[in-house]
Amino acid sequence: MTKEYLVESLRNKPWTGYAAQKSMEHFARFAHLQREPNIPENHRTAAVMCLLYPTISDWNVVFIVRPSYDGAHSGQIAFAGGSTEPEDEDHQATALRETHEEIGIAPHLIEIIAPMTSLYIPVSNFMVYPFAGILEKRPIFTPQESEVVEILEIPLAVFRDKANIKMTSLEVGKRGGERITLENVPYYDLDGRILWGATAMMMAELMSMI
């Protein structure tokens, strides 16, 4: 896939939004938003970068693995990104700043192709604004030790292969001191690693565009 084709696919037509995202949505999120369709006024905002770079035969997508901690997104695979700060001019600035901080990619190296569809995450009360960006070549990564356990570089071919879309049960966080188990969670199988939740929903939209 050439850069020209990729850019044309992502920049010059309407994004598919929730119609594509919902293929990787867990029922718990759907049910929550059916009960409480209005986004809370006290929600926080964040932005993430769906970053791609070319290889000899494909394009790779860059993910990070979050550290384990006592929180909603402990140990999850995600795009580089984070919370909006007062100094950020806009959501794109947040995504670029956080990508620089978390994996060491300077903003001037990233070509922003398009904003993706924003996504509300009830469990952490974040409205997340994702952006699709590309690099001219594989970068030198400098992971932020406090935020990034590992960097994953996954070919788009993995997401094209429908056999890699699976279902599983997951233990996620605690409620009243007890572990919460989600059943029938859709996920992308990244060679044995589980990509699910909001990031998987964003990837479903990206792949629908390509």
Side-chain angles (χ1 to χ4, degrees):
M1 183 192 309
T2 65
K3 175 183 176 182
E4 290 73 21
Y5 178 88
L6 183 63
V7 170
E8 179 74 17
S9 298
L10 301 181
R11 178 174 284 164
N12 295 321
K13 54 186 178 182
W15 281 72
T16 46
Y18 180 64
Q21 292 175 345
K22 67 181 180 181
S23 66
M24 299 302 290
E25 180 183 41
H26 184 257
F27 179 75
R29 179 184 185 276
F30 173 81
H32 176 94
L33 294 179
Q34 290 296 303
R35 295 191 307 269
E36 302 179 35
N38 296 321
I39 307 302
E41 292 185 3
N42 68 343
H43 74 271
R44 297 175 290 173
T45 61
V48 300
M49 184 69 66
C50 176
L51 189 61
L52 302 101
Y53 68 84
T55 66
I56 293 175
S57 59
D58 202 355
W59 288 76
N60 279 358
V61 188
V62 179
F63 299 94
I64 64 171
V65 180
R66 296 285 183 199
S68 297
Y69 65 100
D70 187 19
H73 304 294
S74 173
Q76 290 185 5
I77 297 172
F79 294 128
S83 302
T84 303
E85 298 293 345
E87 67 268 21
D88 295 334
E89 181 179 351
D90 51 26
H91 299 309
Q92 179 175 305
T94 300
L96 288 167
R97 175 184 55 76
E98 286 283 345
T99 300
H100 189 200
E101 291 175 2
E102 292 192 337
I103 59 176
I105 309 303
H108 74 272
L109 297 176
I110 300 173
E111 179 182 354
I112 298 292
I113 301 303
M116 300 165 66
T117 303
S118 59
L119 187 66
Y120 177 64
I121 305 177
V123 68
S124 53
N125 196 29
F126 267 105
M127 178 65 78
V128 179
Y129 295 86
F131 292 83
I134 61 174
L135 301 167
E136 290 295 327
K137 60 182 180 179
R138 184 182 185 276
I140 297 173
F141 295 107
T142 307
Q144 185 180 23
E145 292 185 2
S146 61
E147 298 288 341
V148 179
V149 171
E150 188 177 355
I151 294 174
L152 305 180
E153 302 164 69
I154 309 297
L156 283 177
V158 170
F159 300 98
R160 294 191 193 99
D161 187 349
K162 301 299 184 184
N164 289 322
I165 299 177
K166 301 179 180 180
M167 303 283 281
T168 191
S169 298
L170 288 177
E171 288 190 352
V172 290
K174 295 181 179 180
R175 181 180 298 146
E178 296 184 2
R179 299 290 295 180
I180 301 169
T181 300
L182 299 180
E183 304 290 346
N184 300 316
V185 179
Y187 74 98
Y188 289 108
D189 184 349
L190 308 184
D191 195 22
R193 296 172 180 264
I194 295 174
L195 172 61
W196 71 288
T199 307
M201 293 175 68
M202 295 172 198
M203 274 305 305
E205 182 183 30
L206 181 83
M207 294 310 297
S208 74
M209 297 295 294
I210 297 174

